[in-house]
Amino acid sequence: MSSSGDGTAGGATGRSPVESGPYPLHDSAPEPSTETVGYRGPTACAAAGITYRQLDYWARTGLVEPSVRPAYGSGTQRLYSFRDVVVLKIVKRFLDTGVALQNIRTAVRHLQARGFRDLERMTLMSDGATVYECSSPDEVVDLLQGGQGIFGIAVGVVWRDVEAALSQLHGERVDTGETLVGHNPADELARRRRDRAV
């Protein structure tokens, strides 16, 4: 397998570094043209398992910017899409396993270029230096047998984790600004206690 100085590798059959986008899109649902729900920074942090400092740094450095609404100076709130929050959680997992930031940036660009529904069936594998996309179990096995894959991230699992977390947190309608209250049992308990106290 050949390798270049930028952390990418090529030449192996059945898999390829993420930046080359080796797998064609099959029956992918189109990504919604406009997001109807956005998530403020604290909500995105809670769902992705990151600190607000990380979120802010990643937005300012262009690693993961909010696609619904960026901050326009003081007083404005960034709004992140569901997809943004999935990418934030994936970035955190890569950082936790020691993948170099340059390679994470490449993976993020690749994720953002893929179709919305393609993410659900994608697995990202890494040997710590290079990130590969695998879209079938055979490709995962091939990569592991080649001795390169050390860990993998099943994007569909991250997707479902984020979906479950966001369902318990508050969102915001993009068109009206209306707050959408999540279904957090702790919030419901607190509301009932407040109602009884009145």
Side-chain angles (χ1 to χ4, degrees):
M1 171 174 273
S2 61
S3 179
S4 62
D6 64 356
T8 61
T13 305
R15 63 191 186 285
S16 182
V18 294
E19 61 272 24
S20 63
Y23 307 112
L25 305 180
H26 299 289
D27 302 323
S28 63
E31 184 167 358
S33 57
T34 58
E35 293 289 340
T36 57
V37 178
Y39 302 96
R40 291 184 179 205
T43 300
C45 289
I50 62 174
T51 66
Y52 194 82
R53 176 176 275 179
Q54 287 174 306
L55 181 82
D56 185 55
Y57 179 73
W58 296 349
R60 286 186 292 109
T61 59
L63 179 62
V64 183
E65 296 176 280
S67 63
V68 177
R69 183 176 67 213
Y72 295 111
S74 64
T76 60
Q77 294 274 335
R78 295 182 185 113
L79 278 184
Y80 290 83
S81 69
F82 171 80
R83 180 189 182 119
D84 295 338
V85 180
V86 170
V87 172
L88 288 167
K89 192 171 183 80
I90 290 169
V91 168
K92 166 115 171 46
R93 290 198 177 174
F94 277 137
L95 286 173
D96 288 349
T97 54
V99 175
L101 189 57
Q102 176 183 352
N103 294 323
I104 293 173
R105 284 186 185 280
T106 301
V108 167
R109 284 193 303 269
H110 180 73
L111 287 168
Q112 291 170 337
R114 295 304 301 247
F116 193 67
R117 293 292 169 194
D118 292 325
L119 298 180
E120 286 185 286
R121 65 175 186 262
M122 182 187 302
T123 298
L124 298 175
M125 302 289 291
S126 179
D127 56 6
T130 304
V131 178
Y132 299 91
E133 174 193 342
C134 299
S135 57
S136 75
D138 291 340
E139 290 167 355
V140 173
V141 170
D142 184 40
L143 185 63
L144 291 171
Q145 288 177 339
Q148 293 155 318
I150 293 175
F151 70 92
I153 297 173
V155 179
V157 172
V158 174
W159 178 293
R160 288 185 291 280
D161 287 350
V162 168
E163 201 168 45
L166 289 176
S167 73
Q168 297 182 10
L169 300 167
H170 302 321
E172 182 177 314
R173 281 188 57 109
V174 175
D175 54 352
T176 64
E178 172 190 358
T179 298
L180 302 172
V181 179
H183 304 291
N184 187 338
D187 285 350
E188 179 66 18
L189 182 59
R191 185 188 62 75
R192 287 182 186 172
R193 285 181 180 152
R194 280 193 312 271
D195 289 348
R196 271 187 261 152
V198 173

